[in-house]
Amino acid sequence: MKVKKHNSKNLKIKTRVAVAAISGIAAAIIMTGVLALLLDIFLPNFYNFSSVNTKNYSLLNQVQWSQTVSAITMELTSNDTADVKEEKLSEIYDDIETVGADIFIQKDNGEYFSRKPKKEILQKAQSITTFDQDENLNYFGDNGLLIITHAKNDNTSYTIFITSTDYTVGNLASNNSNSSRLISTRTSIILLVIILILILSIIIMSLITAQTITKPMKKLTDGIEEISSGNLDYRIDYDSTNEIGITVKAVNEMAARLKESIKQREEMEESRKQMTAGIAHDLRTPLTSIKGYVEGLRDGIANTPEKQKEYIQTIYNSANDIERLLNELQTISLLERRSIELNKQEINLHEFLSDYVSEAKYTAKKNNYTIEYKEPKEEDKHIIVNLDAPRFSRVLMNIISNSIKYASKARDGKLTITLTGYDKSVIIALEDNGIGISDKNISHIFETFYRADQARTRVSDGSGIGLAVCKEIVEQHGGHIWATSNEGKNTTILISLNKVIKEVNNDD
Ligand code: ADP
């Protein structure tokens, strides 16, 4: 069994669109992630609050100060050696000195770390605001800032003073603006970049998706145009299980079927032409014969009563041939106009069949052919149908003569006829042991002028209308006709007819 590979070509359009949307969004997320990573690498201080970088009061600045204070506290209470502590505190001092602030750290009431004398620092602090050095304080005022914090490590207690007279509260809004503008500008840029990336990736993915849809669509429309312009040999080359693939397959199949039916119609038309030409030709033979024998009579060539009788018999036979051929022509025209009219009567089907078969048997015997009518079940012997007897005899005659015509040379020909009753219908089956019909042909044999073996064109062999006549007559009876066959073995023609169901009158 051929297993269809799951490749992208087979993706349903629905899935394709979904994949495009998801890929677009995923691509945007990945690109944004990469951008964020780049920003993190190249702009490490972007949101760095650990160092003080402004002399103005703001929420952001307050956070920065509180981080600075906690950095000092953490260092004081850490396990670092005295040298390391001093080095790190110096680094912090360097940072805050840039905004004009000073640090003074007192250890158990003794001086521990400063770059300025204790007196100077305390004076500066007092000029900013009043304070109690045992209490924590976070003062941001008009005169500057003063932060007092206490830290304890084991039995050692530290008091940290941070002072700055340069520090101003100023206009809150405008002071705020520096840092917040910085943030808002950068945020806007990032947002804009994300949106751009999103739009770009969706556009790219949509273009790719559209391409994968429009390309096969173009193939499809080009193909349909080519086929509809009359090139029925054209096949669209696109193999996929998606919606377009299914449509392409249907269009290709349609073209193939159209080609096949045109071919069939042409063959039938050809067959019809040959048949009419054949009949015209065959009419000439008995006519010539009639003329010849009539001349013989007229000119006294048939000079004995025996000869004259013989001539007259031949003329009569030829006239019969002409009549048969004319009947054939008439049937064809009736078939073409679908206007066979029936004269139906209620008939016992079993009796009709057994009468017909007992006569047909003798004719068949001359051809070394056996016809057997199987005795039906008792109740089936009383089935009544509405039948135009002469027309229905024609149906049986056509089927029987086909069985004889298409008998197998390998065995003695035999046709078995059965009758089986059902609830509302009855089926007549005529099974022969002839050459059979191929599966390819069997669905066509009831079509006018269809002949399984197209090589046979001579009228005397058949004209391809026998079964078409049967079909027309059976259908006019409200019945159905069909065939089953095993090529080389047998053919069964089945006819179903409606039973006439008599209402039982209980009053009788
Ligand atoms: P034809 O005049 O060619 O017999 P029909 O309409 O009677 O035309 O039959 C159509 C075709 O069906 C025949 O050409 C023949 O190929 C096939 N056919 C009909 N009956 C039989 C049968 N009993 N056995 C085999 N083939 C048959």
Side-chain angles (χ1 to χ4, degrees):
M1 204 177 77
K2 198 181 157 200
V3 181
K4 273 253 168 199
K5 268 208 270 169
H6 281 279
N7 59 28
S8 59
K9 205 176 162 193
N10 290 332
L11 276 185
K12 292 217 178 325
I13 292 173
K14 218 166 50 179
T15 324
R16 239 167 241 245
V17 172
V19 166
I22 292 168
S23 326
I25 292 165
I29 291 171
I30 292 167
M31 283 157 92
T32 313
V34 171
L35 184 81
L37 209 71
L38 291 176
L39 282 175
D40 199 43
I41 293 167
F42 295 114
L43 297 168
N45 292 326
F46 189 51
Y47 282 124
N48 187 357
F49 293 133
S50 67
S51 67
V52 177
N53 55 21
T54 168
K55 290 181 184 179
N56 293 328
Y57 173 81
S58 73
L59 190 64
L60 172 66
N61 199 236
Q62 242 182 336
V63 173
Q64 288 174 324
W65 277 115
S66 97
Q67 294 214 27
T68 308
V69 171
S70 61
I72 297 170
T73 318
M74 269 165 65
E75 193 49 50
L76 288 172
T77 55
S78 76
N79 293 328
D80 286 346
T81 59
D83 287 348
V84 175
K85 278 186 183 174
E86 183 153 352
E87 194 184 317
K88 290 208 173 154
L89 289 170
S90 276
E91 277 173 22
I92 298 172
Y93 206 143
D94 290 345
D95 263 344
I96 66 165
E97 228 175 16
T98 58
V99 289
D102 287 306
I103 305 178
F104 176 80
I105 303 172
Q106 188 172 288
K107 183 180 175 186
D108 294 334
N109 296 326
E111 210 168 291
Y112 173 69
F113 176 85
S114 183
R115 285 183 184 164
K116 285 185 180 156
K118 180 182 178 181
K119 214 173 145 197
E120 188 185 318
I121 300 276
L122 288 182
Q123 266 177 4
K124 206 170 167 186
Q126 273 157 0
S127 74
I128 296 166
T129 184
T130 52
F131 61 90
D132 174 357
Q133 75 172 68
D134 292 332
E135 298 287 327
N136 281 350
L137 178 74
N138 271 298
Y139 177 83
F140 299 87
D142 291 337
N143 303 327
L145 81 89
L146 176 61
I147 299 170
I148 302 173
T149 302
H150 297 86
K152 215 172 167 93
N153 188 19
D154 299 333
N155 289 327
T156 320
S157 57
Y158 298 96
T159 310
I160 305 139
F161 292 84
I162 299 173
T163 57
S164 172
T165 42
D166 277 355
Y167 197 84
T168 54
V169 173
N171 179 331
L172 207 72
S174 70
N175 289 340
N176 241 349
S177 61
N178 260 356
S179 49
S180 40
R181 199 184 308 129
L182 187 77
I183 294 175
S184 65
T185 318
R186 294 201 184 210
T187 312
S188 316
I189 290 172
I190 289 175
L191 266 176
L192 202 74
V193 171
I194 291 175
I195 290 168
L196 280 179
I197 290 172
L198 204 82
I199 292 171
L200 206 73
S201 50
I202 286 175
I203 289 174
I204 291 170
M205 291 321 290
S206 307
L207 281 177
I208 293 171
T209 312
Q211 183 75 350
T212 61
I213 296 170
T214 47
K215 236 175 154 179
M217 271 308 234
K218 181 150 181 6
K219 263 190 179 182
L220 177 65
T221 45
D222 286 354
I224 291 175
E225 246 170 52
E226 183 70 30
I227 291 166
S228 59
S229 72
N231 183 359
L232 295 180
D233 288 319
Y234 190 86
R235 295 290 174 271
I236 304 164
D237 177 28
Y238 181 74
D239 184 29
S240 161
T241 53
N242 69 16
E243 294 89 332
I244 302 175
I246 293 168
T247 317
V248 164
K249 213 170 145 209
V251 171
N252 281 345
E253 273 168 16
M254 185 196 71
R257 246 181 274 138
L258 204 62
K259 196 183 165 200
E260 181 62 30
S261 81
I262 288 173
K263 192 177 142 224
Q264 259 175 33
R265 195 177 306 163
E266 282 170 358
E267 277 170 5
M268 268 184 220
E269 186 53 28
E270 183 56 22
S271 192
R272 197 184 78 94
K273 276 189 202 153
Q274 281 170 347
M275 226 253 340
T276 19
I279 289 177
H281 175 266
D282 280 17
L283 275 173
R284 203 167 287 280
T285 317
L287 207 66
T288 319
S289 142
I290 289 172
K291 265 174 87 182
Y293 284 95
V294 168
E295 273 167 16
L297 284 173
R298 186 193 62 192
D299 302 341
I301 295 168
N303 46 14
T304 63
E306 288 80 34
K307 260 194 176 172
Q308 283 168 0
K309 204 176 164 200
E310 192 195 317
Y311 271 41
I312 288 167
Q313 186 59 43
T314 315
I315 293 167
Y316 179 73
N317 288 347
S318 298
N320 271 346
D321 282 347
I322 291 176
E323 189 185 24
R324 185 180 57 79
L325 290 164
L326 287 176
N327 278 343
E328 197 88 316
L329 268 181
Q330 192 190 17
T331 314
I332 292 167
S333 87
L334 282 174
L335 261 184
E336 283 180 341
R337 282 184 280 130
R338 297 186 68 89
S339 59
I340 294 177
E341 273 180 27
L342 299 185
N343 176 19
K344 289 189 270 186
Q345 278 169 344
E346 287 186 3
I347 286 177
N348 178 308
L349 191 59
H350 163 63
E351 283 169 14
F352 172 84
L353 281 177
S354 59
D355 285 354
Y356 184 87
V357 173
S358 58
E359 260 185 51
K361 257 182 183 174
Y362 290 105
T363 335
K365 225 174 184 175
K366 286 187 212 153
N367 293 303
N368 271 332
Y369 200 88
T370 315
I371 301 178
E372 185 195 358
Y373 174 53
K374 280 215 165 145
E375 188 87 351
K377 279 197 250 165
E378 198 50 42
E379 67 260 33
D380 292 344
K381 288 183 180 170
H382 309 289
I383 293 170
I384 306 287
V385 288
N386 267 319
L387 218 62
D388 178 327
R391 296 277 195 208
F392 202 75
S393 301
R394 172 89 194 261
V395 172
L396 297 176
M397 188 188 84
N398 286 359
I399 296 170
I400 292 169
S401 72
N402 274 351
S403 294
I404 298 170
K405 256 194 304 190
Y406 305 112
S408 165
K409 288 193 176 75
R411 50 194 169 255
D412 289 343
K414 186 176 179 187
L415 176 74
T416 312
I417 303 172
T418 53
L419 171 89
T420 318
Y422 294 90
D423 253 10
K424 291 181 177 162
S425 61
V426 54
I427 290 183
I428 308 162
L430 303 101
E431 182 185 345
D432 67 26
N433 61 350
I435 58 169
I437 306 163
S438 70
D439 289 346
K440 177 180 150 267
N441 287 322
I442 201 152
S443 54
H444 299 293
I445 58 170
F446 295 100
E447 292 166 13
T448 323
F449 302 120
Y450 189 89
R451 308 199 65 204
D453 181 355
Q454 299 293 338
R456 267 194 313 263
T457 50
R458 277 189 49 215
V459 177
S460 51
D461 278 351
S463 50
I465 60 159
L467 289 180
V469 169
C470 292
K471 184 169 186 275
E472 183 66 21
I473 293 172
V474 169
E475 285 178 358
Q476 293 256 2
H477 276 88
H480 295 286
I481 184 166
W482 69 102
T484 62
S485 177
N486 294 300
E487 204 178 359
K489 278 191 181 161
N490 55 34
T491 302
T492 309
I493 306 286
L494 298 122
I495 299 168
S496 78
L497 293 170
N498 294 326
K499 275 179 171 178
V500 173
I501 297 166
K502 297 265 181 203
E503 269 186 39
V504 184
N505 194 340
N506 288 328
D507 298 342
D508 286 348

